[in-house]
Amino acid sequence: MGMTDLINALPVCMEADKVAKSLRQEKREPTADEANLIAKADALRDALIQVDVFEHATAEEAQPGYVRPALVGTEERFKEMDQTVFKEAA
């Protein structure tokens, strides 16, 4: 998916959102055409939000054992912490 796909999906998704809002407000089931529009918009959104489109962002990431620096830093900070489980303040 590229920028063109995003631009082409936008009007479909916006129209489907209007229909979905109308359905909620009117408390009714969609017509066949409305259901098809919503399904098409959902499929486009699903395709657009896939984050694993590329196997590796760089050649370095493709190397066995590679760990992103941010993950290494996060792991180091967790090791230094006394608390390793999130707890909400009372």
Side-chain angles (χ1 to χ4, degrees):
M1 287 264 156
M3 187 58 78
T4 302
D5 298 311
L6 177 63
I7 292 168
N8 291 334
L10 186 61
V12 175
C13 292
M14 290 181 69
E15 184 62 30
D17 286 347
K18 284 186 208 175
V19 168
K21 180 180 179 182
S22 173
L23 293 172
R24 285 191 304 274
Q25 288 175 340
E26 297 171 13
K27 296 181 174 133
R28 66 177 178 84
E29 293 297 314
T31 65
D33 287 342
E34 290 170 333
N36 286 336
L37 176 64
I38 292 169
K40 181 177 180 180
D42 287 344
L44 288 168
R45 283 185 184 110
D46 287 346
L48 287 167
I49 63 171
Q50 296 303 312
V51 294
D52 293 330
V53 173
F54 303 104
E55 194 170 322
H56 304 289
T58 66
E60 184 179 38
E61 287 184 6
Q63 300 303 313
Y66 176 80
V67 179
R68 291 182 178 161
L71 295 177
V72 172
T74 300
E75 185 176 275
E76 289 170 359
R77 283 190 297 280
F78 275 132
K79 285 179 185 176
E80 294 171 1
M81 293 175 63
D82 292 335
Q83 179 180 344
T84 57
V85 178
F86 176 77
K87 295 178 186 174
E88 288 192 37

